[in-house]
Amino acid sequence: MIIGNCRFADDVLYDTESNTWVRFQEDGVAAVGINTILAWLGGNITSVSFKPVGTVVEKGKGLGAIESPRHFDVVRSPITGKIVEVNQGLAADPRPLNHDPYGGGWFARLEPLKKEQEVAMVKSPAAARGDLQTKIAELRVRCFAEFPDHEMYEI
């Protein structure tokens, strides 16, 4: 789904209040990450911190944090769950949060503790579209095509 040149995944559910998403997997675990808006607000994310594996996190509470030269933000959980895994690769290289937030940039995996009650609180891409459009306009988010991370020289 594309809104205002910003790409959003079609296979996740959105918590538009916290700018996060959740993808429930077949094994019962839920992958969680930041959405395109938070990736844009963060700019080039330079560091990531996580709560420890085994921590129970309530919906809306912090799973960890992201930091860039111009922005610091807490990554809030879209559901209540127990952290079973964090994306340790992001600690060494946080670029996937900016370049692939719905794939390799996933933040944590949770064992949902209140799935039945909370699944109605996260929104399908179609239901979240209006909220996402509003946030993009309010925050003046401008998504652009990416450029390579290296310089190119004329031959």
PDB file of all heavy atoms in Angstrom, residues 69-87:
ATOM      1  N   PRO A  69      20.966  10.912  14.883  1.00  0.00           N
ATOM      2  CA  PRO A  69      21.489  12.233  15.253  1.00  0.00           C
ATOM      3  C   PRO A  69      20.408  13.285  15.506  1.00  0.00           C
ATOM      4  O   PRO A  69      20.614  14.218  16.267  1.00  0.00           O
ATOM      5  CB  PRO A  69      22.342  12.622  14.040  1.00  0.00           C
ATOM      6  CG  PRO A  69      22.764  11.324  13.453  1.00  0.00           C
ATOM      7  CD  PRO A  69      21.596  10.396  13.680  1.00  0.00           C
ATOM      8  N   ARG A  70      19.233  13.119  14.915  1.00  0.00           N
ATOM      9  CA  ARG A  70      18.186  14.126  15.079  1.00  0.00           C
ATOM     10  C   ARG A  70      16.947  13.664  15.841  1.00  0.00           C
ATOM     11  O   ARG A  70      16.006  14.434  16.014  1.00  0.00           O
ATOM     12  CB  ARG A  70      17.755  14.659  13.714  1.00  0.00           C
ATOM     13  CG  ARG A  70      17.011  13.636  12.883  1.00  0.00           C
ATOM     14  CD  ARG A  70      16.522  14.222  11.591  1.00  0.00           C
ATOM     15  NE  ARG A  70      15.650  13.263  10.933  1.00  0.00           N
ATOM     16  CZ  ARG A  70      14.966  13.498   9.860  1.00  0.00           C
ATOM     17  NH1 ARG A  70      15.036  14.676   9.306  1.00  0.00           N
ATOM     18  NH2 ARG A  70      14.207  12.585   9.331  1.00  0.00           N
ATOM     19  N   HIS A  71      16.935  12.419  16.299  1.00  0.00           N
ATOM     20  CA  HIS A  71      15.693  11.905  16.877  1.00  0.00           C
ATOM     21  C   HIS A  71      15.985  10.753  17.847  1.00  0.00           C
ATOM     22  O   HIS A  71      16.867   9.942  17.622  1.00  0.00           O
ATOM     23  CB  HIS A  71      14.785  11.409  15.741  1.00  0.00           C
ATOM     24  CG  HIS A  71      13.408  11.051  16.168  1.00  0.00           C
ATOM     25  ND1 HIS A  71      12.418  11.971  16.381  1.00  0.00           N
ATOM     26  CD2 HIS A  71      12.845   9.852  16.430  1.00  0.00           C
ATOM     27  CE1 HIS A  71      11.302  11.361  16.740  1.00  0.00           C
ATOM     28  NE2 HIS A  71      11.538  10.071  16.786  1.00  0.00           N
ATOM     29  N   PHE A  72      15.186  10.696  18.912  1.00  0.00           N
ATOM     30  CA  PHE A  72      15.187   9.566  19.835  1.00  0.00           C
ATOM     31  C   PHE A  72      13.732   9.168  20.028  1.00  0.00           C
ATOM     32  O   PHE A  72      12.876  10.038  20.189  1.00  0.00           O
ATOM     33  CB  PHE A  72      15.794   9.941  21.192  1.00  0.00           C
ATOM     34  CG  PHE A  72      15.642   8.858  22.217  1.00  0.00           C
ATOM     35  CD1 PHE A  72      16.563   7.835  22.289  1.00  0.00           C
ATOM     36  CD2 PHE A  72      14.560   8.839  23.084  1.00  0.00           C
ATOM     37  CE1 PHE A  72      16.424   6.813  23.226  1.00  0.00           C
ATOM     38  CE2 PHE A  72      14.404   7.823  24.017  1.00  0.00           C
ATOM     39  CZ  PHE A  72      15.338   6.814  24.085  1.00  0.00           C
ATOM     40  N   ASP A  73      13.442   7.889  20.003  1.00  0.00           N
ATOM     41  CA  ASP A  73      12.063   7.457  20.207  1.00  0.00           C
ATOM     42  C   ASP A  73      12.041   6.089  20.865  1.00  0.00           C
ATOM     43  O   ASP A  73      12.945   5.272  20.680  1.00  0.00           O
ATOM     44  CB  ASP A  73      11.312   7.382  18.878  1.00  0.00           C
ATOM     45  CG  ASP A  73       9.852   7.786  19.013  1.00  0.00           C
ATOM     46  OD1 ASP A  73       9.234   7.500  20.056  1.00  0.00           O
ATOM     47  OD2 ASP A  73       9.332   8.401  18.079  1.00  0.00           O
ATOM     48  N   VAL A  74      10.984   5.856  21.623  1.00  0.00           N
ATOM     49  CA  VAL A  74      10.733   4.550  22.230  1.00  0.00           C
ATOM     50  C   VAL A  74       9.878   3.758  21.252  1.00  0.00           C
ATOM     51  O   VAL A  74       8.918   4.277  20.691  1.00  0.00           O
ATOM     52  CB  VAL A  74       9.997   4.714  23.583  1.00  0.00           C
ATOM     53  CG1 VAL A  74       9.585   3.367  24.150  1.00  0.00           C
ATOM     54  CG2 VAL A  74      10.864   5.478  24.559  1.00  0.00           C
ATOM     55  N   VAL A  75      10.240   2.499  21.029  1.00  0.00           N
ATOM     56  CA  VAL A  75       9.441   1.608  20.192  1.00  0.00           C
ATOM     57  C   VAL A  75       8.427   0.954  21.115  1.00  0.00           C
ATOM     58  O   VAL A  75       8.779   0.177  21.999  1.00  0.00           O
ATOM     59  CB  VAL A  75      10.316   0.555  19.475  1.00  0.00           C
ATOM     60  CG1 VAL A  75       9.448  -0.401  18.683  1.00  0.00           C
ATOM     61  CG2 VAL A  75      11.334   1.244  18.584  1.00  0.00           C
ATOM     62  N   ARG A  76       7.158   1.311  20.920  1.00  0.00           N
ATOM     63  CA  ARG A  76       6.084   0.834  21.801  1.00  0.00           C
ATOM     64  C   ARG A  76       5.423  -0.407  21.211  1.00  0.00           C
ATOM     65  O   ARG A  76       5.204  -0.491  20.014  1.00  0.00           O
ATOM     66  CB  ARG A  76       5.062   1.934  22.011  1.00  0.00           C
ATOM     67  CG  ARG A  76       5.711   3.155  22.656  1.00  0.00           C
ATOM     68  CD  ARG A  76       4.710   4.181  23.120  1.00  0.00           C
ATOM     69  NE  ARG A  76       5.382   5.354  23.637  1.00  0.00           N
ATOM     70  CZ  ARG A  76       5.959   5.452  24.823  1.00  0.00           C
ATOM     71  NH1 ARG A  76       5.935   4.420  25.634  1.00  0.00           N
ATOM     72  NH2 ARG A  76       6.555   6.561  25.202  1.00  0.00           N
ATOM     73  N   SER A  77       5.085  -1.329  22.076  1.00  0.00           N
ATOM     74  CA  SER A  77       4.488  -2.582  21.637  1.00  0.00           C
ATOM     75  C   SER A  77       3.027  -2.395  21.225  1.00  0.00           C
ATOM     76  O   SER A  77       2.248  -1.811  21.976  1.00  0.00           O
ATOM     77  CB  SER A  77       4.573  -3.621  22.754  1.00  0.00           C
ATOM     78  OG  SER A  77       4.063  -4.853  22.302  1.00  0.00           O
ATOM     79  N   PRO A  78       2.637  -2.923  20.059  1.00  0.00           N
ATOM     80  CA  PRO A  78       1.240  -2.835  19.638  1.00  0.00           C
ATOM     81  C   PRO A  78       0.334  -3.850  20.330  1.00  0.00           C
ATOM     82  O   PRO A  78      -0.887  -3.757  20.236  1.00  0.00           O
ATOM     83  CB  PRO A  78       1.311  -3.101  18.134  1.00  0.00           C
ATOM     84  CG  PRO A  78       2.536  -3.924  17.953  1.00  0.00           C
ATOM     85  CD  PRO A  78       3.493  -3.493  19.029  1.00  0.00           C
ATOM     86  N   ILE A  79       0.941  -4.814  21.033  1.00  0.00           N
ATOM     87  CA  ILE A  79       0.174  -5.836  21.762  1.00  0.00           C
ATOM     88  C   ILE A  79       0.883  -6.142  23.081  1.00  0.00           C
ATOM     89  O   ILE A  79       2.042  -5.812  23.265  1.00  0.00           O
ATOM     90  CB  ILE A  79       0.029  -7.149  20.950  1.00  0.00           C
ATOM     91  CG1 ILE A  79       1.411  -7.749  20.662  1.00  0.00           C
ATOM     92  CG2 ILE A  79      -0.772  -6.928  19.674  1.00  0.00           C
ATOM     93  CD1 ILE A  79       1.379  -9.159  20.113  1.00  0.00           C
ATOM     94  N   THR A  80       0.175  -6.820  23.982  1.00  0.00           N
ATOM     95  CA  THR A  80       0.783  -7.314  25.213  1.00  0.00           C
ATOM     96  C   THR A  80       1.420  -8.662  24.909  1.00  0.00           C
ATOM     97  O   THR A  80       0.802  -9.520  24.280  1.00  0.00           O
ATOM     98  CB  THR A  80      -0.284  -7.481  26.310  1.00  0.00           C
ATOM     99  OG1 THR A  80      -0.862  -6.203  26.575  1.00  0.00           O
ATOM    100  CG2 THR A  80       0.308  -8.049  27.585  1.00  0.00           C
ATOM    101  N   GLY A  81       2.665  -8.824  25.343  1.00  0.00           N
ATOM    102  CA  GLY A  81       3.325 -10.097  25.078  1.00  0.00           C
ATOM    103  C   GLY A  81       4.646 -10.230  25.803  1.00  0.00           C
ATOM    104  O   GLY A  81       5.167  -9.281  26.378  1.00  0.00           O
ATOM    105  N   LYS A  82       5.165 -11.445  25.748  1.00  0.00           N
ATOM    106  CA  LYS A  82       6.460 -11.762  26.341  1.00  0.00           C
ATOM    107  C   LYS A  82       7.486 -11.762  25.209  1.00  0.00           C
ATOM    108  O   LYS A  82       7.297 -12.425  24.185  1.00  0.00           O
ATOM    109  CB  LYS A  82       6.407 -13.143  27.003  1.00  0.00           C
ATOM    110  CG  LYS A  82       7.698 -13.580  27.624  1.00  0.00           C
ATOM    111  CD  LYS A  82       7.507 -14.951  28.264  1.00  0.00           C
ATOM    112  CE  LYS A  82       8.818 -15.489  28.787  1.00  0.00           C
ATOM    113  NZ  LYS A  82       8.624 -16.840  29.346  1.00  0.00           N
ATOM    114  N   ILE A  83       8.567 -11.011  25.391  1.00  0.00           N
ATOM    115  CA  ILE A  83       9.606 -10.948  24.360  1.00  0.00           C
ATOM    116  C   ILE A  83      10.315 -12.297  24.294  1.00  0.00           C
ATOM    117  O   ILE A  83      10.867 -12.759  25.286  1.00  0.00           O
ATOM    118  CB  ILE A  83      10.622  -9.825  24.659  1.00  0.00           C
ATOM    119  CG1 ILE A  83       9.926  -8.465  24.710  1.00  0.00           C
ATOM    120  CG2 ILE A  83      11.738  -9.827  23.603  1.00  0.00           C
ATOM    121  CD1 ILE A  83      10.815  -7.312  25.171  1.00  0.00           C
ATOM    122  N   VAL A  84      10.269 -12.933  23.121  1.00  0.00           N
ATOM    123  CA  VAL A  84      10.945 -14.220  22.944  1.00  0.00           C
ATOM    124  C   VAL A  84      12.201 -14.081  22.093  1.00  0.00           C
ATOM    125  O   VAL A  84      13.064 -14.962  22.102  1.00  0.00           O
ATOM    126  CB  VAL A  84      10.000 -15.293  22.347  1.00  0.00           C
ATOM    127  CG1 VAL A  84       8.885 -15.620  23.321  1.00  0.00           C
ATOM    128  CG2 VAL A  84       9.447 -14.874  21.011  1.00  0.00           C
ATOM    129  N   GLU A  85      12.308 -12.961  21.352  1.00  0.00           N
ATOM    130  CA  GLU A  85      13.493 -12.738  20.523  1.00  0.00           C
ATOM    131  C   GLU A  85      13.558 -11.263  20.151  1.00  0.00           C
ATOM    132  O   GLU A  85      12.530 -10.617  19.974  1.00  0.00           O
ATOM    133  CB  GLU A  85      13.406 -13.591  19.251  1.00  0.00           C
ATOM    134  CG  GLU A  85      14.603 -13.496  18.345  1.00  0.00           C
ATOM    135  CD  GLU A  85      14.456 -14.339  17.078  1.00  0.00           C
ATOM    136  OE1 GLU A  85      13.377 -14.933  16.842  1.00  0.00           O
ATOM    137  OE2 GLU A  85      15.420 -14.385  16.306  1.00  0.00           O
ATOM    138  N   VAL A  86      14.764 -10.739  20.056  1.00  0.00           N
ATOM    139  CA  VAL A  86      14.975  -9.385  19.539  1.00  0.00           C
ATOM    140  C   VAL A  86      15.895  -9.498  18.331  1.00  0.00           C
ATOM    141  O   VAL A  86      16.667 -10.448  18.214  1.00  0.00           O
ATOM    142  CB  VAL A  86      15.555  -8.426  20.599  1.00  0.00           C
ATOM    143  CG1 VAL A  86      14.564  -8.201  21.735  1.00  0.00           C
ATOM    144  CG2 VAL A  86      16.887  -8.898  21.123  1.00  0.00           C
ATOM    145  N   ASN A  87      15.807  -8.544  17.445  1.00  0.00           N
ATOM    146  CA  ASN A  87      16.607  -8.562  16.218  1.00  0.00           C
ATOM    147  C   ASN A  87      18.008  -8.028  16.529  1.00  0.00           C
ATOM    148  O   ASN A  87      18.285  -6.855  16.318  1.00  0.00           O
ATOM    149  CB  ASN A  87      15.918  -7.740  15.138  1.00  0.00           C
ATOM    150  CG  ASN A  87      16.543  -7.919  13.775  1.00  0.00           C
ATOM    151  OD1 ASN A  87      17.639  -8.435  13.654  1.00  0.00           O
ATOM    152  ND2 ASN A  87      15.837  -7.475  12.746  1.00  0.00           N
TER     153      ASN A  87
END
